[in-house]
Amino acid sequence: MLKIWSMKKEQQKAENAEGAGGKKKKITAAQLRVQKDLSELSLGSTMRTIFADADDILNFVLEIKPDEGVYHGGLFTFTFNMDQNYPHEPPKVRCQQKIYHPNIDLEGKVCLNILREDWKPVLNLNAVIVGLQFLFLEPNASDPLNKEAAEDLRSSRENFRRNVRTSMTGGSIRGTSYDRVMFNRA
Amino acid sequence: MATTAASTGPSRWQYLDKIRRNPGPFNQDSDVGDEALAAQDKAKILVIGAGGLGCEILKDLALSRFKDIHVIDMDTIDISNLNRQFLFRQDDVGKFKAEVAAAFVEKRVKGTKITAHNGRIQDFNEDFYMQFQIVVCGLDSIEARRWINAMLVNMVDMEDQDSLKPLIDGGTEGFKGQTRVIFPTLTPCIECQLDLYTPRAAVPLCTLATIPRQPEHCIEWAHIIAWEEQKPFPNLDKDDPEHITWLYQKASARAQEFGISGVTYSLTQGVVKNIIPAIASTNAIIAASCCNEALKIATTAAPALGFEESYMMYSGDDSIYTSTFKYDKKPDCTVCGEVAKPLQVDPKMTLKELLDSFALKADLQLKKPSIRAEGKTLYMQFPPSIEEQTRPNLEKTLQQDLGLDVGHEVVVTDPAFPTLTFRFILSFV
Ligand SMILES: [Zn+2]
């Protein structure tokens, strides 16, 4: 094999004249970027983050308590997972509750353009969080993941509203039962 | 196929051995002895991609006497691959490329072991990549190249001389191609050379929406606009024939409306999947040059591409033009650049004392610093939940309590400087 290592040592000698030595422990690009993203989050009063392990910032849960709109009074949590390829790949986001929402399916998958086709590395976690918040204020019938909910929203806003309230208290709509997500103000 | 002694017995290697066993201006006696040559037999070499380039690379490496080859590819064989991916047959359609390619070459070149991994490169970790001596890439995606590049650069560890893996990267586009050799951290990496890729020129949306002129415009319209409006399926799966058929029909109708001809199913597939037509012989040329570099690195029989000039470009678009050139390492490269500055601290200092010192340093003046090390959140000012979790660290000492050591990198961010990150390599007073 080519003796590359002797060249590497030469380079190291030249660079570290004053020498830090030791085994380098470099921070991965993904962690570096998430650290930056987190320090720039604007959570307001309706959201907070939960880290199961503060050292693992690539995984956390975001809690959203919409204070207006049809989902007002509910508490929704989303898992965020960034892999080592972040920000070249978008964060993976899932809703942890089974909810009645035109853009969120029963498995918790979220239809938000910047989480898939429109993701760009210049976007950040704040953009995603703003997008999620917006989904609760303005559910969108044109990108349906839950087709029935989208159909309800299109045909009658009033009926849709009623269904949202029923689902949020743990009721069922057309035979599908939803998770109770009402947030009890202590 | 007739088997002769030349293709099976040890005499298969007699000509290759003339290169391997004779000392020359670049290899001395110690490089051509049995011991040095046995190193090639034992060398484990990883091939990434078993497509057009990958098939050629596997065949060439096996015929260059590499005996322990691994190959990774996540794709399965599609009927459209058969014209140039010559290790695959009609019966193989639907099977994993890596598996079929490995079995074919293994059977054809006796004594070569090829291990297939059907998956994404991202599915494997540092321990996996550490077992190889050389990595050869035949990929068509920039993302995958950047990923493996960052992995190999980050693996380099001054305490372990086997951690530096030469990366040989081949790529083709029609009649054009390139081969480059990267010695991670020593020579310019893929990220340093990212500006060599020109992003595909996107057609303005208004052209697509109002005045299409080419069949491609009609297809892009169906892809971007009609699909978004009508969402015939929740998510576009570019590998699903039903989805491509839907786009093809929409594009055809639009082409007819504007009197444009040339929209076909395969053009639709090509535009949507961003397929650049591959030419078998360009793949062969580039793969061959990649494998010769691997052979030279493994045997030292001749100087390899990489140190002076590191990039070979081949262009067959207008007659033939080829040249090798030197590319400079970017000092501020986010992957291989030495951006971290040395920071000398007292190991008995508490984290709070360290953070306070950042406020006083004239060149930093950070009032609300957040600080992390690899896999360790030392202190973050925001979000509130993590601030609370990491607050107890403020009173801890750097070395004994927090486990920081010489050579560890720490990254400091501050909301007052949203575009900056401050990276330091610790040393102790
Ligand atoms: Zn670089």
Side-chain angles (χ1 to χ4, degrees):
Chain A
M1 276 291 282
L2 189 62
K3 291 164 196 71
I4 324 156
W5 195 247
S6 50
M7 296 178 229
K8 177 69 195 164
K9 284 207 297 233
E10 287 297 310
Q11 180 211 40
Q12 195 74 12
K13 246 192 270 163
E15 276 174 5
N16 287 19
E18 69 270 39
K23 181 181 172 1
K24 273 200 185 162
K25 247 180 144 181
K26 234 180 144 180
I27 297 179
T28 64
Q31 284 182 52
L32 207 140
R33 175 56 192 270
V34 172
Q35 175 179 345
K36 253 182 103 54
D37 281 13
L38 288 175
S39 60
E40 288 159 22
L41 282 188
S42 79
L43 296 171
S45 57
T46 60
M47 293 184 283
R48 69 182 189 114
T49 54
I50 300 154
F51 290 81
D53 173 2
D55 289 334
D56 177 14
I57 57 171
L58 300 186
N59 286 287
F60 65 89
V61 169
L62 176 78
E63 190 183 278
I64 304 185
K65 288 186 275 187
D67 59 356
E68 51 182 319
V70 284
Y71 292 93
H72 175 229
L75 186 156
F76 307 92
T77 58
F78 291 84
T79 55
F80 274 66
N81 163 256
M82 280 65 68
D83 62 19
Q84 290 299 340
N85 219 11
Y86 183 79
H88 298 298
E89 274 177 25
K92 290 177 189 68
V93 175
R94 267 192 181 230
C95 182
Q96 290 183 302
Q97 292 78 32
K98 186 174 168 191
I99 66 171
Y100 172 82
H101 191 296
N103 313 110
I104 298 174
D105 73 11
L106 301 180
E107 281 83 50
K109 286 203 292 293
V110 182
C111 176
L112 184 63
N113 62 337
I114 58 168
L115 284 177
R116 245 186 101 87
E117 68 276 13
D118 292 334
W119 174 258
K120 290 181 200 72
V122 296
L123 293 170
N124 58 16
L125 289 176
N126 208 53
V128 174
I129 285 174
V130 168
L132 287 180
Q133 205 178 13
F134 190 70
L135 281 185
F136 285 110
L137 297 179
E138 290 288 336
N140 168 359
S142 58
D143 299 329
L145 270 184
N146 180 332
K147 279 195 190 125
E148 287 184 352
E151 200 43 57
D152 293 343
L153 173 60
R154 230 190 319 259
S155 52
S156 153
R157 230 188 140 78
E158 206 29 62
N159 189 29
F160 173 74
R161 247 183 91 82
R162 260 198 310 276
N163 285 348
V164 168
R165 300 320 289 184
T166 308
S167 71
M168 283 172 64
T169 53
S172 353
I173 293 142
R174 291 190 208 86
T176 306
S177 65
Y178 290 89
D179 287 348
R180 185 185 151 80
V181 293
M182 291 310 286
F183 158 57
N184 296 316
R185 260 160 262 258
Chain B
M1 191 178 298
T3 40
T4 63
S7 70
T8 53
S11 63
R12 156 169 238 152
W13 310 117
Q14 76 181 21
Y15 297 105
L16 183 68
D17 273 350
K18 287 206 165 41
I19 291 166
R20 289 174 9 116
R21 288 189 179 279
N22 289 329
F26 304 107
N27 47 359
Q28 294 124 24
D29 292 340
S30 61
D31 296 322
V32 295
D34 284 334
E35 200 184 328
L37 293 181
Q40 192 197 346
D41 293 349
K42 278 184 285 174
K44 248 192 212 181
I45 185 160
L46 175 67
V47 177
I48 302 181
L53 262 176
C55 281
E56 290 278 355
I57 291 171
L58 284 171
K59 176 258 291 174
D60 289 349
L61 286 177
L63 293 175
S64 304
R65 208 173 191 269
F66 284 95
K67 290 179 174 294
D68 192 352
I69 305 172
H70 286 236
V71 56
I72 306 183
D73 199 307
M74 64 182 291
D75 285 343
T76 53
I77 298 161
D78 185 79
I79 188 120
S80 65
N81 301 143
L82 301 182
N83 63 352
R84 60 192 185 284
Q85 300 178 16
F86 57 92
L87 302 178
F88 310 142
R89 300 289 174 267
Q90 191 99 36
D91 287 347
D92 298 324
V93 169
K95 295 181 192 160
F96 281 107
K97 287 185 176 178
E99 216 160 80
V100 175
F104 191 109
V105 176
E106 209 172 52
K107 191 169 149 219
R108 186 66 184 75
V109 187
K110 292 278 180 277
T112 302
K113 191 176 101 204
I114 306 188
T115 312
H117 303 276
N118 309 320
R120 289 158 27 105
I121 51 173
Q122 291 88 346
D123 296 340
F124 300 91
N125 61 17
E126 197 173 311
D127 294 338
F128 174 81
Y129 291 106
M130 200 55 100
Q131 64 179 308
F132 302 102
Q133 276 73 55
I134 300 174
V135 177
V136 188
C137 284
L139 288 163
D140 56 6
S141 120
I142 296 173
E143 284 70 30
R145 281 194 177 92
R146 291 174 75 176
W147 190 91
I148 189 70
N149 176 62
M151 170 60 91
L152 295 180
V153 169
N154 287 327
M155 270 163 55
V156 176
D157 173 1
M158 275 316 288
E159 308 264 286
D160 176 10
Q161 61 167 310
D162 295 326
S163 66
L164 201 159
K165 321 280 181 197
L167 169 63
I168 302 172
D169 176 53
T172 70
E173 228 186 85
F175 281 114
K176 291 189 286 194
Q178 94 271 336
T179 298
R180 53 187 158 175
V181 177
I182 291 147
F183 297 102
T185 71
L186 262 177
T187 66
C189 79
I190 286 182
E191 204 78 15
C192 293
Q193 306 172 32
L194 216 55
D195 50 356
L196 290 178
Y197 294 100
T198 34
R200 241 165 70 101
V203 184
L205 267 185
C206 54
T207 303
L208 298 181
T210 54
I211 37 155
R213 293 184 302 270
Q214 294 168 12
E216 288 84 356
H217 294 170
C218 300
I219 296 165
E220 287 281 19
W221 172 84
H223 180 198
I224 298 169
I225 296 169
W227 182 279
E228 288 304 316
E229 275 171 12
Q230 303 178 25
K231 284 267 171 164
F233 306 90
N235 290 305
L236 177 61
D237 177 355
K238 295 172 180 175
D239 292 315
D240 187 330
E242 212 183 327
H243 295 195
I244 297 292
T245 302
W246 189 91
L247 292 175
Y248 164 55
Q249 285 164 351
K250 286 282 162 191
S252 301
R254 188 163 175 86
Q256 202 156 28
E257 187 186 327
F258 286 89
I260 296 168
S261 60
V263 174
T264 60
Y265 180 86
S266 68
L267 184 70
T268 307
Q269 202 178 24
V271 169
V272 171
K273 291 180 78 175
N274 200 356
I275 296 174
I276 296 147
I279 294 175
S281 297
T282 313
N283 283 341
I285 290 166
I286 295 301
S289 77
C290 287
C291 293
N292 273 353
E293 295 316 301
L295 181 63
K296 289 189 285 178
I297 290 170
T299 62
T300 68
L305 190 67
F307 287 102
E308 280 310 311
E309 278 110 16
S310 64
Y311 193 106
M312 189 276 283
M313 62 90 78
Y314 168 90
S315 170
D317 275 345
D318 184 0
S319 183
I320 292 183
Y321 177 72
T322 177
S323 80
T324 57
F325 55 92
K326 184 175 159 72
Y327 207 88
D328 284 326
K329 206 170 162 210
K330 278 212 177 109
D332 59 346
C333 170
T334 52
V335 172
C336 77
E338 287 291 329
V339 286
K341 292 196 184 120
L343 178 71
Q344 218 176 39
V345 294
D346 178 354
K348 292 193 208 64
M349 194 182 223
T350 64
L351 184 63
K352 183 165 186 336
E353 286 166 338
L354 176 68
L355 293 183
D356 288 346
S357 76
F358 290 149
L360 298 174
K361 270 199 162 82
D363 55 343
L364 289 175
Q365 302 192 34
L366 303 176
K367 304 264 157 45
K368 295 196 89 185
S370 290
I371 181 167
R372 291 190 77 257
E374 157 61 29
K376 177 110 188 128
T377 306
L378 297 166
Y379 181 67
M380 289 200 32
Q381 308 260 4
F382 199 81
S385 68
I386 208 163
E387 193 278 333
E388 207 172 298
Q389 281 168 292
T390 55
R391 203 183 303 151
N393 287 346
L394 288 173
E395 301 310 321
K396 293 182 180 167
T397 61
L398 300 183
Q399 187 177 30
Q400 201 165 12
D401 299 340
L402 294 168
L404 292 175
D405 214 332
V406 171
H408 286 197
E409 186 183 22
V410 292
V411 170
V412 183
T413 50
D414 190 302
F417 303 100
T419 57
L420 298 179
T421 44
F422 303 91
R423 301 169 68 169
F424 300 104
I425 295 282
L426 292 182
S427 66
F428 290 153
V429 285

